[in-house]
Amino acid sequence: MRPAPATTSRDGLSASASDFTLEPSVTTLPAGAGRPFTFRITNAARQTVTRFDRDHTQLLHLYLIRSDLTGFAHLHPSMSPGGTWSVLLPALSPGNWRVYNQFITPGQDGRPVALVLSTPLTVPGRPGTTP
C-alpha cells in the first residue's frame, strides 16, 4: 500500500503548486486534425522531473476540457527518458480549452506529492455553438 501524499493540490486551476510547474511547449494549437502536444513538469530549481508514481495504473493522466464543456478527452501521455511528455491530441474545435495533468511525484522530502496542474490552450477560429 502506497503512503498518503504529503501535500496535495486537487483544484487544478494553476500551472504551479507545491514547488512543481507544468511547462507546455505551446499554448495555441490549430483546429482540425489531431496534433502532437509536449510538456514537462519542473521542480522549484526548474529541473525537469523524471520520477513519477503510478496512479490508477498510469504515471500521468491528461484531461483536455473545452471551457463550454462541449469537448473532453482523457489521455495517457508517454514520457521520454529526459522527462518530456508527449501525446497526440484529438482533433480540436476552435475555442478555449484547458489541459489538466494529474500525477504523483516525490517532493523535496521524498514523500509523494499528488498534484493536478493545468494551463489554458487556445484553438483559434470561430467557435461553434451547441444547444
Side-chain angles (χ1 to χ4, degrees), residues 27-42:
T27 57
T28 301
L29 285 174
R35 303 275 191 240
F37 179 71
T38 61
F39 61 93
R40 62 191 189 121
I41 306 297
T42 58

Side-chain angles (χ1 to χ4, degrees), residues 37-57:
F37 179 71
T38 61
F39 61 93
R40 62 191 189 121
I41 306 297
T42 58
N43 61 21
R46 300 217 12 114
Q47 298 168 320
T48 301
V49 177
T50 58
R51 289 185 50 213
F52 294 85
D53 295 339
R54 290 200 180 277
D55 185 24
H56 302 289
T57 74

